[in-house]
Amino acid sequence: MRQLFIDSRDRVNDGGTSADFRILLPQTLVLENTQQLRVDHFRLPITIGTINSSNDQVLLTYQGVDHTIQIPRSNYDGPSLAATLQAALAAAAGSWTVTYNINLISLTVAGDTTDYNLAGSFFQKAFTRNYEVVSIPGSKIYSFKYWPVQGLDLVYLCSPNFQTLDTYGPSGSHDILLAIPITSPFGSVQVSSQPEVVWHDVPSLTTSMLSFQVRDRDYNILSDIPNVSFTISID
């Protein structure tokens, strides 16, 4: 059995990041025929807050006037997120009531006119889920049925070097080595391993360079993480 100890801080200096990096091996890795691989001790700092670089912008059109609003990047619970959004909208235009239901994990935005629309990265994912818009005299209400405040809920460790048709992930990907549901709180480090009986079949391979990516639920490469490390065992 061979073991590779991978740390993103040891990456090749080619402009890569802690979530998209290449590792130069001290010796050429040669895999003949089909062998098995597993990942253990994947260490991921939970540093991506509720609002981050991917979802910090609101585009508000209020009575025909466009406003661009930046939500402060931070980690929020539901009520504090609602209060922050309400204050940010009011600073741009109009009067607002924003509420968060912690039992239903839902968010409601009500403006003082029916003549407004919401867009931007803050709302982008929410508009792909179940929501409704109701207009009543003097107000329009957006009700988002599911609005989690975790910055991350699931990540994938991927490597194009070890693609196999035995795995199938978002966007039809075949390069996922490990799926990690995030259960640790913001500011901590989560350590995850494959179940003891789980191994991946990997194809024949000869390389001195390995490439890895850490992706979110939607298969986007993460940003804002300091480093990751893990162990690969090959048998």
Side-chain angles (χ1 to χ4, degrees), residues 3-4 23 27 31 35 41-42 51 62 71 74 86 95 101 124 146 150 152 154 158 162-163 170 175 221 227:
Q3 286 191 310
L4 306 175
I23 295 290
Q27 294 180 330
L31 303 181
Q35 294 186 255
H41 311 300
F42 179 83
I51 302 301
Y62 184 89
I71 305 298
S74 186
Q86 178 174 303
S95 178
N101 188 315
Q124 185 174 10
Y146 177 64
Q150 272 186 298
L152 285 176
L154 177 70
C158 306
F162 300 115
Q163 291 193 63
D175 61 349
I221 295 175
N227 67 280

Side-chain angles (χ1 to χ4, degrees), residues 94-108:
S95 178
W96 304 85
T97 301
V98 182
T99 57
Y100 190 90
N101 188 315
I102 59 176
N103 295 317
L104 298 178
I105 318 178
S106 62
L107 182 76
T108 301

Side-chain angles (χ1 to χ4, degrees), residues 161-177:
N161 298 103
F162 300 115
Q163 291 193 63
T164 171
L165 295 178
D166 291 337
T167 62
Y168 186 87
S171 302
S173 59
H174 297 286
D175 61 349
I176 294 174
L177 298 179

Side-chain angles (χ1 to χ4, degrees), residues 19-177:
D20 185 8
F21 61 93
R22 297 194 303 160
I23 295 290
L24 179 63
L25 300 175
Q27 294 180 330
T28 299
L29 177 64
V30 179
L31 303 181
E32 298 178 348
N33 303 316
T34 299
Q35 294 186 255
Q36 292 186 313
L37 171 151
R38 61 175 289 117
V39 177
D40 291 293
H41 311 300
F42 179 83
R43 295 176 57 86
L44 174 70
I46 310 301
T47 57
I48 297 180
T50 309
I51 302 301
N52 53 73
S53 60
S54 70
N55 66 349
D56 63 346
Q57 188 178 82
V58 174
L59 301 180
L60 167 67
T61 301
Y62 184 89
Q63 296 182 342
V65 179
D66 294 333
H67 304 269
T68 299
I69 301 167
Q70 296 295 130
I71 305 298
R73 298 177 187 178
S74 186
N75 196 56
Y76 297 89
D77 60 16
S80 64
L81 177 63
T84 299
L85 177 59
Q86 178 174 303
L89 290 168
S95 178
W96 304 85
T97 301
V98 182
T99 57
Y100 190 90
N101 188 315
I102 59 176
N103 295 317
L104 298 178
I105 318 178
S106 62
L107 182 76
T108 301
V109 181
D112 62 355
T113 177
T114 59
D115 186 14
Y116 79 89
N117 288 292
L118 300 171
S121 61
F122 181 82
F123 290 101
Q124 185 174 10
K125 184 176 291 185
F127 284 139
T128 67
R129 297 171 174 155
N130 186 21
Y131 75 99
E132 64 180 11
V133 184
V134 177
S135 292
I136 59 176
S139 181
K140 183 164 68 173
I141 303 168
Y142 283 80
S143 296
F144 300 97
K145 304 301 183 183
Y146 177 64
W147 196 296
V149 292
Q150 272 186 298
L152 285 176
D153 61 350
L154 177 70
V155 300
Y156 298 106
L157 173 65
C158 306
S159 175
N161 298 103
F162 300 115
Q163 291 193 63
T164 171
L165 295 178
D166 291 337
T167 62
Y168 186 87
S171 302
S173 59
H174 297 286
D175 61 349
I176 294 174
L177 298 179

